[in-house]
């Protein structure tokens, strides 16, 4: 009797572990469709963060153009490479689902930042920083609200520039927890394919 029960227990355990294994494989079986890279534009003499479609080699317009020298060891080329890598890492972490890549203003270490997230309800954390915004105000006593507003304005500038260089209508900036959110992933999908139809599920 005990042997029969044990055998049934083993069979059930095996079936359950197999189910987990199979479902886990299917979840992780997403296919990479693009890469985020830093590319030098010989026409402008600037480094640019872009997305490149895997297979076709189709490129987006520059998502970010780097032209500000911050420090001798943190030049546009290095900053471009780091931020491009951060976007690519986020794309991998979000299981190669491009439309999950969202940008949101935040504050970290008393500096305004733009972070990359897959949930607009989440607050920016230290490990999701995409880029730190260079302060336009040298005041040390700026409030968190002022810094958030500064980061929000930087996100608006990025959005407006993308809207100018893209050949398609980009998803609008939305509000979440009082902060603007840009769905960069959907914007990139629309840049890759002008036939992409706007949908109401991009902010799910």
């Amino acid at each position: 009797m005990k042997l029969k029960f044990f055998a049934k227990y083993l069979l059930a355990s095996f079936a359950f572990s197999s189910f987990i294994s199979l479902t886990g494989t299917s979840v992780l079986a997403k296919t990479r469709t693009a890469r985020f890279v830093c590319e030098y534009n010989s026409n402008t003499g600037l480094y640019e963060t872009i997305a490149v479609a895997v297979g076709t080699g189709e490129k987006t317009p520059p998502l970010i153009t780097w032209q500000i020298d911050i420090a001798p060891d943190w030049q546009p080329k290095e900053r471009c490479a780091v931020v491009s890598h951060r976007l690519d890492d986020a794309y991998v972490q979000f299981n190669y689902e491009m439309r999950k890549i969202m940008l949101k203003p935040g504050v970290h270490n008393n500096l305004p930042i733009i972070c990359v997230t897959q949930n607009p309800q989440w607050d920016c954390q230290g490990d999701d920083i995409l880029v730190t915004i260079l302060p336009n105000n040298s005041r040390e006593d700026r409030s968190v609200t002022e810094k958030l507003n500064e980061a929000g304005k930087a996100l608006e500038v990025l959005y407006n520039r993308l809207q100018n260089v893209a050949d398609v209508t980009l998803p609008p900036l939305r509000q979440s927890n009082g902060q603007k959110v840009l769905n960069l992933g959907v914007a990139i999908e629309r840049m890759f394919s002008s036939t992409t139809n706007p949908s109401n599920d991009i902010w799910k």
Side-chain angles (χ1 to χ4, degrees):
M1 194 70 177
K2 289 183 178 180
L3 286 175
K4 287 183 178 179
F5 175 81
F6 186 66
K8 287 181 179 179
Y9 176 79
L10 282 179
L11 184 61
S13 298
F14 177 77
F16 180 75
S17 62
S18 298
F19 172 77
I20 293 297
S21 178
L22 287 172
T23 54
T25 301
S26 64
V27 168
L28 297 176
K30 300 288 184 180
T31 302
R32 176 188 281 274
T33 60
R35 295 184 182 278
F36 291 91
V37 299
C38 176
E39 188 173 82
Y40 179 73
N41 188 326
S42 58
N43 293 323
T44 62
L46 300 173
Y47 288 93
E48 300 170 342
T49 294
I50 63 171
V52 182
V54 173
T56 66
E58 181 183 359
K59 300 178 181 179
T60 64
L63 305 175
I64 306 175
T65 300
W66 303 94
Q67 52 187 326
I68 299 177
D69 296 334
I70 302 176
D73 58 345
W74 194 228
Q75 294 296 301
K77 179 180 180 180
E78 286 71 30
R79 206 172 193 214
C80 174
V82 168
V83 170
S84 303
H85 183 68
R86 287 174 180 171
L87 278 173
D88 208 60
D89 274 353
Y91 179 48
V92 174
Q93 291 172 16
F94 301 164
N95 201 27
Y96 301 122
E97 295 185 63
M98 183 65 75
R99 60 181 45 227
K100 285 187 176 181
I101 300 178
M102 303 183 192
L103 305 185
K104 184 177 181 179
V107 174
H108 181 68
N109 287 340
N110 292 320
L111 290 173
I113 65 169
I114 292 177
C115 66
V116 55
T117 180
Q118 60 180 320
N119 189 332
Q121 299 296 321
W122 294 345
D123 291 329
C124 292
Q125 305 295 325
D127 59 354
D128 58 10
I129 295 175
L130 178 64
V131 62
T132 301
I133 307 303
L134 297 179
N136 294 322
N137 192 327
S138 59
R139 283 176 43 224
E140 295 294 330
D141 62 342
R142 286 178 302 156
S143 67
V144 171
T145 299
E146 288 176 308
K147 294 170 184 175
L148 277 173
N149 288 338
E150 191 172 339
K153 289 178 182 177
L155 189 62
E156 285 184 24
V157 170
L158 171 60
Y159 171 77
N160 291 332
R161 194 188 62 76
L162 286 177
Q163 189 70 67
N164 289 333
V165 298
D167 293 329
V168 293
T169 301
L170 302 185
L173 289 174
R174 298 293 181 90
Q175 290 282 337
S176 181
N177 290 345
Q179 298 300 320
K180 293 181 175 66
V181 178
L182 168 61
N183 194 319
L184 182 66
V186 171
I188 290 171
E189 286 182 345
R190 293 186 183 180
M191 290 180 198
F192 279 142
S193 176
S194 60
T195 60
T196 301
N197 294 318
S199 64
N200 295 323
D201 65 346
I202 62 175
W203 297 103
K204 63 183 178 182

